[in-house]
């Protein structure tokens, strides 16, 4: 089960609808078109279309499972006392003074360009339950350690 924002849940439902209503018919049409080109045993277009359809169906199935098990978090019930999912966190790298801001979100909502990091990342895991003023010493996958101070916590 994955915790996510209402916005993330709505985006997931909209993407599933798009895949089922737009992409699925396109995949079926591509298979039909390739099938019409003759001998299927040597038809690479047909094989590619069938493979693309299989990937699409797997993605649809995965998204349906995510939606079925999603737990939408009521942000009005969240606290600014400690870092948790859907917390926006202002941080300072205590080694070099660099400032950064991240929002901790579900894996499906993560988007680094928007400053949204997955709750499954080492940085998010290292920040969970930290309070303003706390320092987190987080070991990164490359073996290095990053030292971050929590400067502010907000929700949403």
């Amino acid at each position: 089960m994955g915790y996510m924002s209402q916005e993330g849940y709505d985006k997931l439902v909209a993407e599933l609808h798009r895949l089922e209503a737009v992409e699925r018919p396109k995949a079926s049409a591509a298979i039909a078109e390739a099938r019409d080109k003759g001998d299927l045993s040597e038809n690479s277009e047909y094989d590619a279309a069938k493979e693309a359809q299989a990937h699409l169906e797997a993605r649809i199935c995965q998204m349906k499972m995510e939606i079925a098990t999603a737990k939408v978090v009521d942000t009005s019930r969240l606290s600014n006392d400690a870092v948790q999912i859907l917390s926006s966190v202002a941080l300072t790298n205590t080694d070099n003074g660099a400032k950064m801001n991240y929002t901790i979100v579900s894996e499906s909502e993560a988007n680094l360009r928007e400053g949204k990091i997955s709750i499954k990342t080492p940085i998010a895991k290292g920040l969970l339950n930290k309070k303003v003023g706390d320092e987190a010493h987080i070991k990164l996958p490359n073996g290095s350690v990053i030292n971050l101070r929590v400067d502010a916590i907000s929700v949403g």
Side-chain angles (χ1 to χ4, degrees), residues 28-40 43 45-47 49-50 53:
S28 294
I31 290 169
E33 185 179 316
R35 190 182 308 121
D36 291 344
K37 293 189 177 176
D39 182 9
L40 297 182
N43 189 332
E45 274 184 59
Y46 178 79
D47 292 340
K50 288 294 281 184
Q53 182 188 42

Side-chain angles (χ1 to χ4, degrees), residues 3-5 73 75 78 82-89 91 101-107 109-111 114-130 150 153-156:
Y3 291 96
M4 62 179 54
S5 67
V73 177
T75 54
L78 296 178
V83 177
Q84 58 197 317
I85 190 158
L86 300 183
S87 290
S88 293
V89 188
L91 305 163
N101 293 292
Y102 292 122
T103 300
I104 299 173
V105 297
S106 67
E107 203 166 15
E109 295 177 88
N111 183 332
E114 295 175 8
K116 296 178 179 180
I117 61 171
S118 166
I119 195 158
K120 295 187 177 186
T121 62
I123 290 177
K125 286 179 182 178
L127 292 172
L128 286 178
N129 300 314
K130 297 289 188 219
V150 178
I153 303 168
S154 59
V155 176

